[in-house]
Amino acid sequence: MLFNLAPRAMASASPMLDRCTFGSLTRIADLDTRAFRVAPRSRSRWARGDYVVGRVTDTSGYRTIELPSGRDMEVAEGDAVVGALGTRQATLEMTGSWREIEDNGVMHALTRAGLFGRVESRSTLVQRPLELRYDGHVQRDGTAVTMQGVVEPVDEQPFATPTVLFAGTSMSAGKTTAARIVTRRLKRMGLSVVGAKVSGAGRYRDVLSIQDAGADWGLDFVDVGLPSTVVPKEDYRAAIRQLLSRMAQPAADVAVVEIGASPLEPYNGALAIKELQNALAMTVLCASDPYAVLGLETAFEMLAPDLVTGIATNTAAGTALLEQLTDLPAFNIRDNDTHERLDALLRDRLQIVEEMPAD
């Protein structure tokens, strides 16, 4: 089957025309501007990050795909969707991997970005994921097109931009929301900001939301060819050093960096913190509940938060319990009344001298 270029898709598979929808994991490739073929490959030749095409077979649950623009589009049964093989290990939603896809070719969109694998477990609180059937690998000149294959490596360089790091006690603890708020505060101080998400499972929305909040540049692990960061440590170490080298290129005053989930989960967040250690100016821990902060402090000594915020600080009771359990400053940065305190903490940790008004 030959796929031609066109705005969201398409291609000819003689004698009929067929449209193809691209997941946002394809945003680093030129699949929408250059023709490619789709043909099945033997299971032994599959690998993480391969671009593949799946035919939608079940839309009874989630039915949207995140496009390379970051917009969501609803798909229908029979639609062809381009995504990439990968693994997700989300504690609160679902787990799955491309390695679990069986001979029948049934697979799922583990994220709406087109992270393809077979679901192994799923919370009863989330909808069924989009189901697809493997159609074939994206190929050019008989060679599979892969995420890492379309990325041009850069010369490695030290990353020294003063960094505000956002970590969590779990997924959905408020990290991206907190990162947006801090980005806005930094921009009000007249600083240039590079925003990045350095671990997690591929989605484009988090990076875009930081840019929407004012970040001058936005990057994530997809930009260095990873569909998710559930990969061997040596692979992740090579990838994050490439990512940090890209983040070092803009002349930013400060970096706002998010790690997905918690550093104890299999997304290599602990390794990300280690690689960022020399640039860290401030660490913000977003907590799902007060006891989780105590647990993470005990289990992960490398993390030394300067501030605890997130869901655990939504009420005065949560904040009081945090202060009782830990010696860490804790307040809800979504509350506008805390922004003066937040600004003072940012200036202190980033060593920003506040300009005094002229007489």
Side-chain angles (χ1 to χ4, degrees), residues 164-184:
V164 181
L165 177 70
F166 293 82
T169 57
S170 71
M171 64 179 296
S172 302
K175 294 184 298 294
T176 304
T177 298
R180 286 199 302 265
I181 292 169
V182 167
T183 298
R184 291 192 186 101

Side-chain angles (χ1 to χ4, degrees), residues 48-95:
R48 179 195 73 232
D50 288 355
Y51 282 124
V52 300
V53 174
R55 294 280 174 175
V56 177
T57 56
D58 186 353
T59 58
S60 60
Y62 288 124
R63 62 182 65 187
T64 58
I65 287 290
E66 182 185 65
L67 302 175
S69 65
R71 296 170 53 205
D72 283 348
M73 190 186 89
E74 188 171 300
V75 294
E77 289 187 20
D79 284 357
V81 180
V82 182
L85 300 178
T87 300
R88 188 182 183 198
Q89 294 289 312
T91 54
L92 301 183
E93 293 187 357
M94 71 180 72
T95 67

Side-chain angles (χ1 to χ4, degrees), residues 137-312:
H137 272 61
V138 174
Q139 301 183 46
R140 287 188 178 130
D141 300 323
T143 301
V145 181
T146 69
M147 291 184 68
Q148 287 197 313
V150 302
V151 172
E152 290 290 336
V154 298
D155 293 334
E156 287 192 9
Q157 57 181 296
F159 178 73
T161 306
T163 297
V164 181
L165 177 70
F166 293 82
T169 57
S170 71
M171 64 179 296
S172 302
K175 294 184 298 294
T176 304
T177 298
R180 286 199 302 265
I181 292 169
V182 167
T183 298
R184 291 192 186 101
R185 305 313 298 175
L186 294 171
K187 293 302 296 182
R188 289 192 178 194
M189 296 176 194
L191 303 176
S192 59
V193 177
V194 57
K197 185 170 184 178
V198 297
S199 66
R203 286 295 301 268
Y204 198 21
R205 64 179 183 182
D206 291 346
V207 178
L208 289 176
S209 70
I210 299 301
Q211 290 183 278
D212 290 343
D216 303 274
W217 304 273
L219 294 160
D220 73 356
F221 51 87
V222 172
D223 292 302
V224 291
L226 293 183
S228 85
T229 62
V230 183
V231 298
K233 290 187 183 301
E234 58 271 20
D235 293 350
Y236 181 70
R237 184 177 289 108
I240 193 173
R241 289 179 179 177
Q242 279 287 299
L243 180 55
L244 292 176
S245 296
R246 290 170 182 262
M247 290 165 55
Q249 292 176 2
D253 296 314
V254 61
V256 170
V257 175
E258 178 185 343
I259 62 170
S262 93
L264 298 176
E265 295 178 48
Y267 289 101
N268 280 302
L271 183 51
I273 294 173
K274 186 175 181 180
E275 292 290 323
L276 284 160
Q277 201 68 42
N278 291 336
L280 287 185
M282 177 175 169
T283 300
V284 179
L285 178 60
C286 296
S288 53
D289 70 79
Y291 296 103
V293 176
L294 190 61
L296 189 59
E297 269 196 306
T298 303
F300 191 69
E301 295 179 357
M302 186 188 301
L303 193 68
D306 297 281
L307 170 65
V308 178
T309 190
I311 296 171

